[in-house]
Amino acid sequence: MRINSVETSYSYILINNELSANSIDLADSINLGDFTLFHSKDMDINKYSNGEIQLVVLGYMLDIRNGELSTKEILEKLFNSSDLDRTLDYINGRYVLLFKSESDFFVYTDASALLPINYNDDKSIVASHDILIKELLNDNNLEVKPLRQELKGSFDFTRF
């Protein structure tokens, strides 16, 4: 996937449709209502939906109760679960899970956040790389300031 001159592999960016995505290329996209998910062609993607509810997983999942299940089979189990949060307690792997219904949109990550997740709360953007967020915001004529050193926490490796 490329935004302006920044090219990344195994990457994604989820953006609010109010933002222009003209600078994104070399990517596939998935419409999620008011949002669009752009991802590199080498990203592992699995989807499950019934029209009203959409589940999209980036990366891979492993059910610790049954290691034989595929990511797609795990998505089906999550979809049919009466308690998604509890069911996710048994899911390992390297993933970001997007859950969209008519009224809700949730982003879940594996327990260790092994598949990177960066976000911009003001513009409702989630991405695999902070530089993708910066490039997209700059392309939409929005200012991006580097994070002041004294504001960085010990595990905060974002630059903006």
Side-chain angles (χ1 to χ4, degrees):
M1 179 170 63
R2 183 173 54 206
I3 300 180
N4 297 325
S5 62
V6 176
E7 190 169 344
T8 54
S9 60
Y10 212 74
S11 57
Y12 66 89
I13 187 165
L14 175 70
I15 67 168
N16 188 309
N17 290 337
E18 294 174 0
L19 295 170
S20 168
N22 293 334
S23 60
I24 301 175
D25 63 356
L26 304 177
D28 291 331
S29 64
I30 299 171
N31 180 357
L32 295 165
D34 293 337
F35 293 85
T36 301
L37 172 67
F38 294 92
H39 62 87
S40 60
K41 296 178 186 299
D42 61 350
M43 175 63 76
D44 297 320
I45 300 286
N46 283 280
K47 299 179 277 188
Y48 193 89
S49 71
N50 73 350
E52 183 179 310
I53 295 175
Q54 291 178 277
L55 293 175
V56 178
V57 67
L58 302 96
Y60 69 91
M61 296 177 140
L62 174 70
D63 188 324
I64 62 173
R65 299 165 294 187
N66 181 355
E68 299 295 318
L69 295 176
S70 69
T71 298
K72 202 154 201 90
E73 291 169 323
I74 294 169
L75 273 180
E76 184 175 351
K77 285 186 172 286
L78 291 170
F79 183 85
N80 293 316
S81 172
S82 60
D83 188 351
L84 181 65
D85 292 334
R86 180 71 177 137
T87 305
L88 281 171
D89 287 343
Y90 298 97
I91 307 303
N92 206 334
R94 183 180 183 191
Y95 67 86
V96 171
L97 173 67
L98 307 175
F99 171 93
K100 186 207 172 297
S101 69
E102 286 192 24
S103 59
D104 294 314
F105 198 123
F106 296 105
V107 178
Y108 298 92
T109 185
D110 62 87
S112 301
L114 292 173
L115 187 63
I117 186 165
N118 297 276
Y119 67 94
N120 177 285
D121 192 39
D122 292 338
K123 296 298 176 185
S124 300
I125 303 171
V126 176
S128 57
H129 299 74
D130 62 355
I131 191 70
L132 297 177
I133 296 173
K134 177 186 178 294
E135 289 296 319
L136 185 77
L137 291 175
N138 284 343
D139 195 55
N140 280 270
N141 299 314
L142 297 166
E143 184 180 8
V144 179
K145 296 179 183 178
L147 190 62
R148 293 189 343 240
Q149 280 302 112
E150 62 270 16
L151 295 179
K152 284 193 173 188
S154 61
F155 289 107
D156 188 351
F157 299 112
T158 58
R159 297 172 283 178
F160 312 105

PDB file of all heavy atoms in Angstrom, residues 11 23 27 35 52 54 70-71 82-83 92 94-95 98 106-107 111 113 118 121 127 141 147 151 160:
ATOM      1  N   SER A  11       0.155  -3.858   5.598  1.00  0.00           N
ATOM      2  CA  SER A  11      -0.300  -2.634   6.253  1.00  0.00           C
ATOM      3  C   SER A  11      -1.780  -2.384   5.975  1.00  0.00           C
ATOM      4  O   SER A  11      -2.367  -2.951   5.055  1.00  0.00           O
ATOM      5  CB  SER A  11       0.532  -1.444   5.771  1.00  0.00           C
ATOM      6  OG  SER A  11       0.464  -1.331   4.366  1.00  0.00           O
ATOM      7  N   SER A  23      -4.923   9.868  -2.209  1.00  0.00           N
ATOM      8  CA  SER A  23      -3.487   9.594  -2.214  1.00  0.00           C
ATOM      9  C   SER A  23      -3.157   8.132  -1.922  1.00  0.00           C
ATOM     10  O   SER A  23      -2.000   7.739  -1.945  1.00  0.00           O
ATOM     11  CB  SER A  23      -2.779  10.492  -1.196  1.00  0.00           C
ATOM     12  OG  SER A  23      -3.289  10.236   0.094  1.00  0.00           O
ATOM     13  N   ALA A  27      -3.559  -0.583  -3.085  1.00  0.00           N
ATOM     14  CA  ALA A  27      -4.291  -1.148  -1.955  1.00  0.00           C
ATOM     15  C   ALA A  27      -5.644  -1.662  -2.405  1.00  0.00           C
ATOM     16  O   ALA A  27      -6.210  -1.193  -3.387  1.00  0.00           O
ATOM     17  CB  ALA A  27      -4.475  -0.085  -0.877  1.00  0.00           C
ATOM     18  N   PHE A  35     -17.021   4.168   7.104  1.00  0.00           N
ATOM     19  CA  PHE A  35     -15.574   3.983   7.085  1.00  0.00           C
ATOM     20  C   PHE A  35     -15.167   3.124   5.897  1.00  0.00           C
ATOM     21  O   PHE A  35     -15.970   2.350   5.379  1.00  0.00           O
ATOM     22  CB  PHE A  35     -15.094   3.292   8.374  1.00  0.00           C
ATOM     23  CG  PHE A  35     -15.273   4.135   9.597  1.00  0.00           C
ATOM     24  CD1 PHE A  35     -16.484   4.157  10.276  1.00  0.00           C
ATOM     25  CD2 PHE A  35     -14.238   4.925  10.067  1.00  0.00           C
ATOM     26  CE1 PHE A  35     -16.659   4.940  11.401  1.00  0.00           C
ATOM     27  CE2 PHE A  35     -14.404   5.718  11.187  1.00  0.00           C
ATOM     28  CZ  PHE A  35     -15.616   5.720  11.860  1.00  0.00           C
ATOM     29  N   GLU A  52     -26.196  -7.057   8.029  1.00  0.00           N
ATOM     30  CA  GLU A  52     -26.353  -6.088   9.109  1.00  0.00           C
ATOM     31  C   GLU A  52     -25.090  -5.980   9.971  1.00  0.00           C
ATOM     32  O   GLU A  52     -24.711  -4.909  10.416  1.00  0.00           O
ATOM     33  CB  GLU A  52     -27.542  -6.489   9.984  1.00  0.00           C
ATOM     34  CG  GLU A  52     -27.848  -5.517  11.096  1.00  0.00           C
ATOM     35  CD  GLU A  52     -29.041  -5.965  11.911  1.00  0.00           C
ATOM     36  OE1 GLU A  52     -30.077  -6.291  11.307  1.00  0.00           O
ATOM     37  OE2 GLU A  52     -28.935  -5.990  13.147  1.00  0.00           O
ATOM     38  N   GLN A  54     -20.931  -6.906  10.254  1.00  0.00           N
ATOM     39  CA  GLN A  54     -19.732  -7.273   9.517  1.00  0.00           C
ATOM     40  C   GLN A  54     -18.587  -7.503  10.499  1.00  0.00           C
ATOM     41  O   GLN A  54     -18.367  -6.683  11.398  1.00  0.00           O
ATOM     42  CB  GLN A  54     -19.310  -6.155   8.556  1.00  0.00           C
ATOM     43  CG  GLN A  54     -20.244  -5.960   7.387  1.00  0.00           C
ATOM     44  CD  GLN A  54     -19.766  -4.799   6.534  1.00  0.00           C
ATOM     45  OE1 GLN A  54     -20.052  -3.660   6.859  1.00  0.00           O
ATOM     46  NE2 GLN A  54     -19.049  -5.100   5.473  1.00  0.00           N
ATOM     47  N   SER A  70      -9.849 -22.752  11.375  1.00  0.00           N
ATOM     48  CA  SER A  70      -9.286 -21.694  10.526  1.00  0.00           C
ATOM     49  C   SER A  70      -9.768 -20.336  11.034  1.00  0.00           C
ATOM     50  O   SER A  70     -10.718 -20.253  11.826  1.00  0.00           O
ATOM     51  CB  SER A  70      -9.734 -21.888   9.078  1.00  0.00           C
ATOM     52  OG  SER A  70     -11.138 -21.634   8.967  1.00  0.00           O
ATOM     53  N   THR A  71      -9.124 -19.278  10.579  1.00  0.00           N
ATOM     54  CA  THR A  71      -9.550 -17.928  10.958  1.00  0.00           C
ATOM     55  C   THR A  71     -11.002 -17.696  10.553  1.00  0.00           C
ATOM     56  O   THR A  71     -11.781 -17.119  11.300  1.00  0.00           O
ATOM     57  CB  THR A  71      -8.622 -16.873  10.336  1.00  0.00           C
ATOM     58  OG1 THR A  71      -7.300 -17.066  10.848  1.00  0.00           O
ATOM     59  CG2 THR A  71      -9.086 -15.465  10.655  1.00  0.00           C
ATOM     60  N   SER A  82     -22.849 -15.101  21.899  1.00  0.00           N
ATOM     61  CA  SER A  82     -23.722 -14.182  22.634  1.00  0.00           C
ATOM     62  C   SER A  82     -22.895 -13.206  23.477  1.00  0.00           C
ATOM     63  O   SER A  82     -23.434 -12.210  23.958  1.00  0.00           O
ATOM     64  CB  SER A  82     -24.692 -14.958  23.525  1.00  0.00           C
ATOM     65  OG  SER A  82     -23.963 -15.736  24.458  1.00  0.00           O
ATOM     66  N   ASP A  83     -21.611 -13.485  23.662  1.00  0.00           N
ATOM     67  CA  ASP A  83     -20.721 -12.621  24.440  1.00  0.00           C
ATOM     68  C   ASP A  83     -19.371 -12.539  23.718  1.00  0.00           C
ATOM     69  O   ASP A  83     -18.443 -13.298  24.024  1.00  0.00           O
ATOM     70  CB  ASP A  83     -20.561 -13.167  25.857  1.00  0.00           C
ATOM     71  CG  ASP A  83     -19.794 -12.217  26.772  1.00  0.00           C
ATOM     72  OD1 ASP A  83     -19.241 -11.207  26.289  1.00  0.00           O
ATOM     73  OD2 ASP A  83     -19.742 -12.501  27.994  1.00  0.00           O
ATOM     74  N   ASN A  92      -6.223 -16.258  20.282  1.00  0.00           N
ATOM     75  CA  ASN A  92      -4.846 -15.775  20.250  1.00  0.00           C
ATOM     76  C   ASN A  92      -4.505 -15.453  18.799  1.00  0.00           C
ATOM     77  O   ASN A  92      -5.345 -15.542  17.922  1.00  0.00           O
ATOM     78  CB  ASN A  92      -3.917 -16.863  20.821  1.00  0.00           C
ATOM     79  CG  ASN A  92      -2.660 -16.290  21.409  1.00  0.00           C
ATOM     80  OD1 ASN A  92      -2.215 -15.218  21.023  1.00  0.00           O
ATOM     81  ND2 ASN A  92      -2.078 -17.022  22.341  1.00  0.00           N
ATOM     82  N   ARG A  94      -2.244 -12.980  15.833  1.00  0.00           N
ATOM     83  CA  ARG A  94      -1.709 -11.657  15.497  1.00  0.00           C
ATOM     84  C   ARG A  94      -2.773 -11.004  14.617  1.00  0.00           C
ATOM     85  O   ARG A  94      -2.792 -11.208  13.405  1.00  0.00           O
ATOM     86  CB  ARG A  94      -0.387 -11.824  14.753  1.00  0.00           C
ATOM     87  CG  ARG A  94       0.280 -10.536  14.416  1.00  0.00           C
ATOM     88  CD  ARG A  94       1.589 -10.772  13.688  1.00  0.00           C
ATOM     89  NE  ARG A  94       2.204  -9.481  13.450  1.00  0.00           N
ATOM     90  CZ  ARG A  94       3.233  -9.310  12.668  1.00  0.00           C
ATOM     91  NH1 ARG A  94       3.769 -10.316  12.029  1.00  0.00           N
ATOM     92  NH2 ARG A  94       3.727  -8.111  12.500  1.00  0.00           N
ATOM     93  N   TYR A  95      -3.653 -10.233  15.243  1.00  0.00           N
ATOM     94  CA  TYR A  95      -4.804  -9.743  14.495  1.00  0.00           C
ATOM     95  C   TYR A  95      -5.321  -8.401  15.004  1.00  0.00           C
ATOM     96  O   TYR A  95      -5.055  -7.990  16.127  1.00  0.00           O
ATOM     97  CB  TYR A  95      -5.952 -10.761  14.541  1.00  0.00           C
ATOM     98  CG  TYR A  95      -6.555 -10.955  15.912  1.00  0.00           C
ATOM     99  CD1 TYR A  95      -7.569 -10.130  16.376  1.00  0.00           C
ATOM    100  CD2 TYR A  95      -6.106 -11.962  16.760  1.00  0.00           C
ATOM    101  CE1 TYR A  95      -8.121 -10.294  17.635  1.00  0.00           C
ATOM    102  CE2 TYR A  95      -6.655 -12.146  18.019  1.00  0.00           C
ATOM    103  CZ  TYR A  95      -7.663 -11.308  18.451  1.00  0.00           C
ATOM    104  OH  TYR A  95      -8.200 -11.479  19.697  1.00  0.00           O
ATOM    105  N   LEU A  98     -12.272  -6.008  13.319  1.00  0.00           N
ATOM    106  CA  LEU A  98     -13.230  -4.912  13.163  1.00  0.00           C
ATOM    107  C   LEU A  98     -14.630  -5.497  13.258  1.00  0.00           C
ATOM    108  O   LEU A  98     -14.950  -6.464  12.561  1.00  0.00           O
ATOM    109  CB  LEU A  98     -13.042  -4.224  11.810  1.00  0.00           C
ATOM    110  CG  LEU A  98     -11.629  -3.756  11.481  1.00  0.00           C
ATOM    111  CD1 LEU A  98     -11.571  -3.215  10.062  1.00  0.00           C
ATOM    112  CD2 LEU A  98     -11.148  -2.741  12.482  1.00  0.00           C
ATOM    113  N   PHE A 106     -16.551  -1.404  16.599  1.00  0.00           N
ATOM    114  CA  PHE A 106     -15.515  -1.685  17.579  1.00  0.00           C
ATOM    115  C   PHE A 106     -14.267  -2.200  16.875  1.00  0.00           C
ATOM    116  O   PHE A 106     -14.362  -2.910  15.867  1.00  0.00           O
ATOM    117  CB  PHE A 106     -15.970  -2.748  18.597  1.00  0.00           C
ATOM    118  CG  PHE A 106     -17.123  -2.312  19.445  1.00  0.00           C
ATOM    119  CD1 PHE A 106     -18.397  -2.805  19.210  1.00  0.00           C
ATOM    120  CD2 PHE A 106     -16.945  -1.408  20.483  1.00  0.00           C
ATOM    121  CE1 PHE A 106     -19.477  -2.406  19.980  1.00  0.00           C
ATOM    122  CE2 PHE A 106     -18.010  -0.998  21.264  1.00  0.00           C
ATOM    123  CZ  PHE A 106     -19.278  -1.504  21.014  1.00  0.00           C
ATOM    124  N   VAL A 107     -13.117  -1.852  17.437  1.00  0.00           N
ATOM    125  CA  VAL A 107     -11.832  -2.357  16.960  1.00  0.00           C
ATOM    126  C   VAL A 107     -11.199  -3.113  18.121  1.00  0.00           C
ATOM    127  O   VAL A 107     -11.011  -2.561  19.198  1.00  0.00           O
ATOM    128  CB  VAL A 107     -10.903  -1.209  16.497  1.00  0.00           C
ATOM    129  CG1 VAL A 107      -9.556  -1.755  16.052  1.00  0.00           C
ATOM    130  CG2 VAL A 107     -11.561  -0.390  15.386  1.00  0.00           C
ATOM    131  N   ALA A 111      -4.263  -9.822  22.392  1.00  0.00           N
ATOM    132  CA  ALA A 111      -3.890  -9.410  23.749  1.00  0.00           C
ATOM    133  C   ALA A 111      -2.554  -8.677  23.812  1.00  0.00           C
ATOM    134  O   ALA A 111      -2.380  -7.778  24.630  1.00  0.00           O
ATOM    135  CB  ALA A 111      -3.860 -10.620  24.677  1.00  0.00           C
ATOM    136  N   ALA A 113      -1.169  -7.065  21.135  1.00  0.00           N
ATOM    137  CA  ALA A 113      -1.115  -6.111  20.019  1.00  0.00           C
ATOM    138  C   ALA A 113       0.065  -6.424  19.105  1.00  0.00           C
ATOM    139  O   ALA A 113       0.835  -5.544  18.740  1.00  0.00           O
ATOM    140  CB  ALA A 113      -1.073  -4.675  20.517  1.00  0.00           C
ATOM    141  N   ASN A 118      -2.145   1.874  15.440  1.00  0.00           N
ATOM    142  CA  ASN A 118      -1.951   3.288  15.752  1.00  0.00           C
ATOM    143  C   ASN A 118      -3.269   3.976  15.433  1.00  0.00           C
ATOM    144  O   ASN A 118      -4.022   3.520  14.578  1.00  0.00           O
ATOM    145  CB  ASN A 118      -0.847   3.880  14.875  1.00  0.00           C
ATOM    146  CG  ASN A 118       0.492   3.230  15.122  1.00  0.00           C
ATOM    147  OD1 ASN A 118       1.198   3.602  16.037  1.00  0.00           O
ATOM    148  ND2 ASN A 118       0.839   2.235  14.312  1.00  0.00           N
ATOM    149  N   ASP A 121      -7.535   9.869  17.220  1.00  0.00           N
ATOM    150  CA  ASP A 121      -8.868   9.947  17.795  1.00  0.00           C
ATOM    151  C   ASP A 121      -9.697  11.068  17.165  1.00  0.00           C
ATOM    152  O   ASP A 121     -10.895  10.897  16.918  1.00  0.00           O
ATOM    153  CB  ASP A 121      -8.761  10.143  19.307  1.00  0.00           C
ATOM    154  CG  ASP A 121     -10.075   9.946  20.025  1.00  0.00           C
ATOM    155  OD1 ASP A 121     -10.826   9.024  19.640  1.00  0.00           O
ATOM    156  OD2 ASP A 121     -10.349  10.702  20.965  1.00  0.00           O
ATOM    157  N   ALA A 127      -4.527   2.689  11.971  1.00  0.00           N
ATOM    158  CA  ALA A 127      -3.590   2.232  10.939  1.00  0.00           C
ATOM    159  C   ALA A 127      -2.487   1.372  11.538  1.00  0.00           C
ATOM    160  O   ALA A 127      -2.208   1.430  12.737  1.00  0.00           O
ATOM    161  CB  ALA A 127      -2.968   3.433  10.223  1.00  0.00           C
ATOM    162  N   ASN A 141      -4.819  18.281   4.114  1.00  0.00           N
ATOM    163  CA  ASN A 141      -4.479  19.629   4.574  1.00  0.00           C
ATOM    164  C   ASN A 141      -4.696  19.825   6.071  1.00  0.00           C
ATOM    165  O   ASN A 141      -5.118  20.885   6.520  1.00  0.00           O
ATOM    166  CB  ASN A 141      -5.261  20.688   3.786  1.00  0.00           C
ATOM    167  CG  ASN A 141      -4.936  20.640   2.322  1.00  0.00           C
ATOM    168  OD1 ASN A 141      -3.764  20.553   1.946  1.00  0.00           O
ATOM    169  ND2 ASN A 141      -5.948  20.661   1.481  1.00  0.00           N
ATOM    170  N   LEU A 147       5.104  14.383  18.373  1.00  0.00           N
ATOM    171  CA  LEU A 147       4.811  14.265  19.793  1.00  0.00           C
ATOM    172  C   LEU A 147       5.991  14.799  20.594  1.00  0.00           C
ATOM    173  O   LEU A 147       7.141  14.485  20.314  1.00  0.00           O
ATOM    174  CB  LEU A 147       4.574  12.791  20.143  1.00  0.00           C
ATOM    175  CG  LEU A 147       4.035  12.478  21.519  1.00  0.00           C
ATOM    176  CD1 LEU A 147       2.659  13.102  21.722  1.00  0.00           C
ATOM    177  CD2 LEU A 147       3.939  10.977  21.699  1.00  0.00           C
ATOM    178  N   LEU A 151       6.055  13.907  26.605  1.00  0.00           N
ATOM    179  CA  LEU A 151       4.740  13.288  26.643  1.00  0.00           C
ATOM    180  C   LEU A 151       4.780  11.798  26.337  1.00  0.00           C
ATOM    181  O   LEU A 151       3.797  11.093  26.507  1.00  0.00           O
ATOM    182  CB  LEU A 151       3.800  13.972  25.651  1.00  0.00           C
ATOM    183  CG  LEU A 151       3.473  15.433  25.948  1.00  0.00           C
ATOM    184  CD1 LEU A 151       2.553  15.989  24.873  1.00  0.00           C
ATOM    185  CD2 LEU A 151       2.841  15.577  27.318  1.00  0.00           C
ATOM    186  N   PHE A 160       3.795  10.922  16.337  1.00  0.00           N
ATOM    187  CA  PHE A 160       2.928  12.068  16.073  1.00  0.00           C
ATOM    188  C   PHE A 160       1.756  12.097  17.035  1.00  0.00           C
ATOM    189  O   PHE A 160       1.307  11.092  17.510  1.00  0.00           O
ATOM    190  CB  PHE A 160       2.409  12.017  14.626  1.00  0.00           C
ATOM    191  CG  PHE A 160       3.492  11.751  13.630  1.00  0.00           C
ATOM    192  CD1 PHE A 160       3.615  10.503  13.045  1.00  0.00           C
ATOM    193  CD2 PHE A 160       4.408  12.723  13.299  1.00  0.00           C
ATOM    194  CE1 PHE A 160       4.596  10.243  12.124  1.00  0.00           C
ATOM    195  CE2 PHE A 160       5.402  12.476  12.395  1.00  0.00           C
ATOM    196  CZ  PHE A 160       5.512  11.230  11.809  1.00  0.00           C
TER     197      PHE A 160
END
